[in-house]
């Protein structure tokens, strides 16, 4: 099943989780920061990740979703990191809602974990356990959609 892992990461937290997800899966086209507004080819599963910034996904991620060529994406799974507040916050809910509005089938379960915030908060996050859980999430979602 062709899979694409896409993320936006300012501080590297979401990138670390994206790389763990991509490493776990077969047939991953790319794991990359937000590229042009379309997948390079049709994908069965798009893992899409963002950090949470003041309760919102990054504006670059929002713009990407607005211009996403949905004819090339069958399913999406959302993941993210947050330096404060709850691990699964409003940013993930916003991304899921935007994808659904575009008619993409979005996996209900999302993955989220804490990320370091400045130098004082969540200093060692995402940690080894977060990476392990991200890999497990990726495998679970991938296997649930694999035909």
């Amino acid at each position: 099943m062709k899979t694409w892992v896409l993320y936006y990461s300012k501080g590297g937290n979401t990138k670390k989780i994206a790389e763990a997800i991509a490493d776990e899966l077969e047939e991953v086209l790319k794991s990359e920061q937000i590229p042009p507004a379309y997948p390079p080819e049709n994908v069965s599963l798009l893992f899409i990740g963002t950090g949470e910034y003041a309760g919102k996904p990054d504006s670059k991620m929002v713009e990407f979703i607005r211009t996403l060529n949905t004819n090339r994406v069958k399913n999406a799974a959302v993941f993210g990191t947050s330096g404060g507040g709850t691990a699964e916050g409003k940013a993930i809910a916003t991304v899921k809602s935007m994808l659904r509005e575009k008619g993409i089938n979005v996996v209900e379960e999302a993955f989220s974990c804490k990320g370091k915030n400045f130098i004082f908060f969540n200093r060692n996050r995402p940690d080894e356990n977060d990476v392990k859980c991200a890999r497990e999430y990726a495998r679970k979602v991938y296997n649930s959609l694999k035909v």
Side-chain angles (χ1 to χ4, degrees), residues 46 86 143:
L46 169 64
T86 59
N143 287 338

Side-chain angles (χ1 to χ4, degrees), residues 75-115:
N75 302 287
V78 182
F79 65 97
T81 59
S82 174
T86 59
E88 185 175 337
K90 295 177 184 176
I92 286 177
T94 299
V95 169
K96 287 168 69 173
S97 177
M98 290 179 71
L99 291 167
R100 285 185 179 123
E101 287 173 11
K102 294 198 72 123
I104 295 172
N105 178 49
V106 179
V107 175
E108 188 59 39
E109 182 182 356
F111 176 81
S112 61
C113 68
K114 294 283 188 181

Side-chain angles (χ1 to χ4, degrees), residues 1 45 107 109 137-147:
M1 173 168 58
L45 176 58
V107 175
E109 182 182 356
Y137 168 74
R139 178 61 50 199
K140 179 180 174 184
V141 169
Y142 184 86
N143 287 338
S144 73
L145 295 174
K146 195 171 183 179
V147 182

Side-chain angles (χ1 to χ4, degrees), residues 3-6 43-48 64 68 73 75-77 99:
T3 305
W4 192 31
V5 180
L6 175 72
V43 293
S44 298
L45 176 58
L46 169 64
F47 278 92
I48 189 165
F64 170 80
L68 178 65
V73 179
N75 302 287
L99 291 167

